[in-house]
Amino acid sequence: MAITLTSVDKPSLESFMAEGFEALGLTPEDARIFADALIFSELRFHPGHGQGVRRLRRYQERIGEKLVDPRAPWELVKESPALALVDAHNGIGTVAAAKAMKLAIEKAKVCGIGQVIVRNSTHYGSSAVHACQAMEAGCIGIAYTNAGPEMAPWGAREGAVGTNPWGIAAPTNLGFPAVMDFALTTAGKGMMQWHSREGKKMPLDWALTPAGEVTDDPDAAMKGPLLAIGEYKGYGLAFMTDVLTGVIGGGGFGLTPYADPAKLDVSHSLTAIDIEWFMPLDEFKARMGEFSEMVKSRQTRPGFSEVLIPGEQEARRVARKSAAGVPLDDEVLADLVALGKELGLKSAIQAIGPYNEVRL
């Protein structure tokens, strides 16, 4: 059956989320960082990805069960002019990564490049959030993280590495940045749940059954491991992402992340490259525009009306949702309203009306 959605007022959603995270024990600064990151993801991605505002409920549960510390210290373990190692002490991963990228940007402005690895962290949200943070500061941003072992290594039928998503963002003169953001699995379990709720089959390259067979049944796939993008190539990228985060950072890797609900042991890497070390920022943006036009000028193949650059479709989605209202799954909206009452929030999400557009 079709999933129904309601468009809501963006400013009211922003206020609600920030107040909600404060009520859960985050500092006002950290609450705003986390709220902004989730709304960024809600605007930018399909709601089935599950990286948006629905996570407020999940964090209420995790904080209530003392599985994550909303006031965890952010410890600078070691640093050099260009590098740093941080211990997040099982705090909010999105906040820990945002602070790490801020430090990476500061180092890039001195050294041309800054890289910060975070260990002992938790889920850090969308990679694009952190990559775009550097892009807004005139840098190329690179963000990636390891995750729980949901991906089957090439040839296996059990998970051993994570979705291990990457984000890379660079400014352009096109009115929107170039942004690559994707997990190294073909899809995540959020999209499988979305297909299940809609009663639809899924593509055969998303996941395996526990027995190791390909399947188009999202319910069967939820019990098995995910498949990598590009088959063995995606698995190789996921393996090396663990090397570049948990292995070198002294944190969890492989089967370790998410093994203990009270210590997710996730590791991230945040890198900023200062564009002005190489050339004036405006010159770089112009070159990016020229490069983009080269790509977009190519003749399309059957079934396509245009060529897009990475991040272009998402930029259109953000503009549309910002202007017309943020579409929320009605189940998520009802749960947020109920949670607001449970937490005694003064802010309220303002509904605009049913979301009737064909595309999300």
Side-chain angles (χ1 to χ4, degrees):
M1 64 182 203
I3 297 173
T4 59
L5 300 100
T6 297
S7 295
V8 305
D9 173 66
K10 179 171 172 277
S12 73
L13 184 61
E14 292 170 339
S15 298
F16 178 90
M17 293 298 294
E19 186 183 349
F21 281 124
E22 279 195 63
L24 294 181
L26 279 71
T27 67
E29 177 190 2
D30 290 354
R32 175 55 65 183
I33 290 172
F34 202 4
D36 287 349
L38 292 186
I39 290 171
F40 175 103
S41 298
E42 195 70 58
L43 291 170
R44 193 169 184 85
F45 302 113
H46 187 290
H49 290 172
Q51 301 300 332
V53 297
R54 71 176 61 208
R55 288 191 170 271
L56 181 61
R57 172 66 79 177
R58 181 64 180 135
Y59 275 86
Q60 182 230 11
E61 295 169 348
R62 287 185 54 76
I63 290 170
E65 295 168 6
K66 299 189 183 304
L67 298 179
V68 63
D69 184 357
R71 297 282 182 122
W74 189 86
E75 180 189 0
L76 188 56
V77 177
K78 182 179 182 181
E79 72 173 324
S80 73
L83 300 171
L85 176 64
V86 167
D87 193 313
H89 290 281
N90 206 48
I92 306 293
T94 300
V95 174
K99 292 179 177 179
M101 183 57 92
K102 181 176 183 291
L103 179 58
I105 293 166
E106 292 171 357
K107 291 180 175 296
K109 295 300 181 180
V110 175
C111 299
I113 188 169
Q115 182 173 19
V116 180
I117 292 178
V118 182
R119 68 187 184 198
N120 194 17
S121 189
T122 58
H123 184 273
Y124 89 157
S126 302
S127 295
V129 170
H130 310 298
C132 286
Q133 181 182 342
M135 181 273 301
E136 294 287 352
C139 297
I140 294 174
I142 306 171
Y144 47 91
T145 182
N146 65 7
E150 293 184 288
M151 180 198 291
W154 182 243
R157 62 182 178 92
E158 294 181 299
V161 291
T163 57
N164 294 8
W166 278 66
I168 303 175
T172 73
N173 64 355
L174 302 174
F176 62 91
V179 183
M180 181 203 82
D181 181 297
F182 54 75
L184 298 178
T185 49
T186 311
K189 294 198 170 177
M191 287 303 297
M192 294 176 194
Q193 291 171 338
W194 190 272
H195 276 63
S196 176
R197 287 177 60 195
E198 289 196 313
K200 294 180 179 178
K201 295 184 182 297
M202 66 179 208
L204 288 170
D205 63 350
W206 279 15
L208 301 173
T209 66
E213 301 293 336
V214 296
T215 181
D216 60 7
D217 179 355
D219 294 320
M222 288 294 295
K223 301 172 186 177
L226 303 177
L227 290 171
I229 60 171
E231 300 183 332
Y232 58 89
K233 296 179 182 179
Y235 156 59
L237 286 169
F239 182 96
M240 297 309 296
T241 302
D242 263 302
V243 173
L244 293 168
T245 54
V247 176
I248 195 171
F253 52 85
L255 300 179
T256 305
Y258 284 75
D260 180 356
K263 188 180 186 298
L264 296 188
D265 212 1
V266 177
S267 301
H268 328 302
S269 177
L270 295 306
T271 302
I273 302 171
D274 184 27
I275 292 167
E276 291 197 332
W277 191 93
F278 294 91
M279 66 182 66
L281 182 58
D282 285 344
E283 181 182 349
F284 175 85
K285 289 181 178 180
R287 290 171 64 84
M288 282 295 294
E290 182 181 0
F291 175 36
S292 299
E293 289 305 317
M294 289 178 183
V295 173
K296 292 174 68 63
S297 70
R298 299 297 84 188
Q299 292 186 9
T300 56
R301 68 191 232 201
F304 289 80
S305 61
E306 63 177 324
V307 175
L308 303 177
I309 69 164
E312 188 169 6
Q313 176 174 271
E314 291 80 3
R316 293 175 184 176
R317 185 181 287 142
V318 170
R320 186 174 68 249
K321 291 182 179 181
S322 297
V326 184
L328 296 184
D329 177 347
D330 282 349
E331 289 187 5
V332 172
L333 178 56
D335 187 57
L336 288 175
V337 171
L339 181 55
K341 292 177 180 177
E342 293 171 30
L343 297 176
L345 304 186
K346 296 178 181 179
S347 301
I349 301 172
Q350 301 297 322
I352 296 173
Y355 180 83
N356 297 316
E357 294 189 39
V358 176
R359 296 189 65 185
L360 282 168

